[in-house]
């Protein structure tokens, strides 16, 4: 009986950690996707999907990167900046690090910028 209980607890624990690990970034309900900014690329064999979001009448762009492999903050930031400059920047780009988020395994990032 104790073995069954222990196994149940272990399965529940590992099931919970897996679901947390694979969770996506929770986006604010006010965000609106800019459909024409959708972009897919492959960098060093890593497929990356980029989308941008805005809140109407506000300046920041919320750039979401989804990657097959881990991305560091620096990598995500560089990719996001190169992606958004030709699509939405009419003035100098300013980073909004206060908006940055990532999922547990660093395969999804939200990078904030103003431009």
């Amino acid at each position: 009986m104790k073995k069954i209980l222990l196994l149940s607890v272990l399965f529940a624990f590992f099931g919970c950690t897996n679901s947390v690990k694979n969770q996506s970034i929770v986006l604010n309900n006010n965000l609106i996707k800019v459909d024409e900014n959708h972009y897919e690329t492959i960098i060093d064999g890593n497929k990356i999907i980029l989308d941008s979001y805005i809140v109407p009448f506000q300046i920041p762009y919320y750039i979401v990167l989804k990657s097959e492999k881990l991305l560091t903050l620096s990598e995500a930031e560089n990719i996001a900046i190169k992606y958004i400059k030709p699509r939405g920047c009419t003035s100098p780009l300013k980073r909004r690090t206060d908006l940055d988020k990532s999922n547990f395994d660093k395969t999804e990032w939200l990078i904030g910028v103003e431009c």
Side-chain angles (χ1 to χ4, degrees):
M1 182 69 172
K2 288 181 182 180
K3 287 182 181 179
I4 293 173
L5 181 59
L6 177 62
L7 285 174
S8 297
V9 170
L10 287 174
F11 284 129
F13 174 76
F14 285 112
C16 287
T17 58
N18 271 345
S19 65
V20 169
K21 183 177 180 180
N22 295 324
Q23 280 183 339
S24 291
I25 297 170
V26 178
L27 297 176
N28 183 323
N29 288 339
N30 296 331
L31 294 178
I32 296 174
K33 186 176 179 183
V34 181
D35 289 328
E36 59 270 16
N37 284 355
H38 179 80
Y39 183 69
E40 295 183 21
T41 188
I42 296 176
I43 300 173
D44 296 329
N46 185 13
K47 182 178 178 181
I48 301 170
I49 300 170
L50 297 111
D51 286 297
S52 65
Y53 295 80
I54 60 168
V55 175
F57 308 109
Q58 292 185 7
I59 295 173
Y61 274 99
Y62 300 80
I63 302 162
V64 174
L65 298 90
K66 294 182 182 181
S67 171
E68 292 179 336
K69 300 175 186 174
L70 173 139
L71 288 175
T72 66
L73 173 58
S74 177
E75 291 170 325
E77 180 179 48
N78 289 333
I79 294 166
I81 288 170
K82 288 177 185 175
Y83 153 82
I84 199 61
K85 273 188 177 180
R87 290 173 176 78
C89 289
T90 56
S91 60
L93 185 134
K94 177 183 171 191
R95 277 286 282 122
R96 289 284 308 270
T97 57
D98 60 309
L99 302 175
D100 294 354
K101 295 182 186 179
S102 72
N103 66 346
F104 179 80
D105 61 2
K106 308 292 187 207
T107 58
E108 189 172 331
W109 285 90
L110 183 139
I111 301 293
V113 298
E114 286 184 15
C115 55

